[in-house]
Amino acid sequence: MLSVQLGSALSVGLVETIGPAGTAWLRQSLGALVFLALARPPLRDVRRRDLPALLGLGVTTGIVTIAFLAALERIPLGTVVAIEFLGPLTVAAVRSHAVRALVWPALALSGVVLLTEPWHGTVDPAGVAYAALAAVGWGVYIVLTQQVGDRFAGLGGLSLVAPVAAVTAAVVGIPQAAGHLSAGVVVTAAGLALLMPVLPFALELLALRRLTSAAFGTLMALEPAIGVLLGALVLHQRPTPTQVLGIALVVVAGAAAQRGGRRPPTDGRQVAALVHEPL
């Protein structure tokens, strides 16, 4: 969580230079190169019925990354993360098959309202729309990641998906970044690619082999708060008391929506649904 949010906060300067899509493209491309260097794509293991999940996950990852950074360009980091968190929170509530579980997305949504403070008339509709798109994409990402994780072990699945995400981001990213690339920009993007997606994805795989997806999701509920903290420390985005209350509601809703503990032993190939944003 620290790596993801620090990478997001430090990406703001790059977004100003090459745009959100350009930043997404460079980060995803450099991250894909790292994954390909660490793990050979298990192409021989890919079956025809695996293709929809692999391609869908790659495309979703690229779109969510662009949407997240486009939102970050317009609204504070903590607010973006809180809105995006509505995606996995809703998935968790729906999967619980309990009507009462829907109270948690509703509570989180009320927290988002406090965060955006629409009564002040200063909310950026485009920023909120991009964050909402990222939330929908994150929900889809969770479902597809579970399917891919159940089929491919370790970094094998990531080495298949990451290039697709990079190509998806390139469609908009290359035109946006054209004319603004330099050696300094590429080096900066390489460092950010290590913070996200390389390091978090590797840590998620390790964590999810030891925890249930519910326990993982409960811990991940802290991410909006970490986003606010790093937004304040790195970007000097100071939340109001009302916005702090909003973040607290999102965190409580995220933690309460999921239960569980240590994951039962598996054959090492199955990986529960990731609850992290695919940045």
Side-chain angles (χ1 to χ4, degrees):
M1 287 184 280
L2 285 170
S3 182
V4 168
Q5 297 311 317
L6 182 59
S8 298
L10 295 178
S11 291
V12 170
L14 199 60
V15 168
E16 293 174 350
T17 303
I18 60 174
T23 301
W25 163 61
L26 267 185
R27 277 185 11 183
Q28 291 288 355
S29 298
L30 295 169
L33 291 176
V34 173
F35 287 131
L36 289 172
L38 294 176
R40 180 179 300 178
L43 296 176
R44 293 182 180 180
D45 295 335
V46 177
R47 300 171 301 194
R48 181 174 297 180
R49 65 175 179 267
D50 296 326
L51 291 177
L54 287 169
L55 295 176
L57 182 57
V59 171
T60 299
T61 301
I63 292 174
V64 171
T65 306
I66 294 174
F68 183 92
L69 292 173
L72 185 58
E73 188 178 29
R74 294 166 172 80
I75 56 180
L77 175 60
T79 303
V80 178
V81 178
I83 295 174
E84 190 186 34
F85 196 69
L86 292 174
L89 185 57
T90 301
V91 170
V94 171
R95 282 182 168 179
S96 71
H97 302 293
V99 176
R100 64 179 181 276
L102 296 177
V103 71
W104 304 122
L107 180 64
L109 182 59
S110 66
V112 168
V113 171
L114 293 178
L115 272 168
T116 54
E117 298 182 332
W119 51 85
H120 288 166
T122 56
V123 64
D124 188 313
V128 172
Y130 280 124
L133 175 60
V136 173
W138 196 2
V140 174
Y141 170 85
I142 289 172
V143 176
L144 294 177
T145 297
Q146 187 170 38
Q147 296 177 24
V148 172
D150 285 347
R151 277 283 295 120
F152 301 97
L155 295 177
L158 294 177
S159 67
L160 290 169
V161 170
V164 178
V167 171
T168 301
V171 174
V172 183
I174 291 179
Q176 195 171 79
H180 303 287
L181 295 176
S182 65
V185 166
V186 174
V187 170
T188 300
L192 291 172
L194 293 177
L195 285 174
M196 185 64 205
V198 176
L199 182 59
F201 279 5
L203 293 174
E204 285 174 351
L205 287 171
L206 294 173
L208 282 165
R209 285 174 179 165
R210 293 163 174 80
L211 296 170
T212 63
S213 58
F216 183 87
T218 301
L219 294 172
M220 289 298 300
L222 293 173
E223 187 154 18
I226 293 177
V228 169
L229 177 62
L230 289 179
L233 294 177
V234 179
L235 303 175
H236 309 294
Q237 298 171 341
R238 308 296 182 186
T240 66
T242 301
Q243 290 173 323
V244 171
L245 175 59
I247 283 291
L249 291 179
V250 174
V251 171
V252 169
Q258 311 197 52
R259 299 177 181 177
R262 187 171 181 84
R263 193 176 185 205
T266 67
D267 61 2
R269 294 182 62 85
Q270 293 183 336
V271 179
L274 299 185
V275 190
H276 237 313
E277 61 273 34
L279 305 184

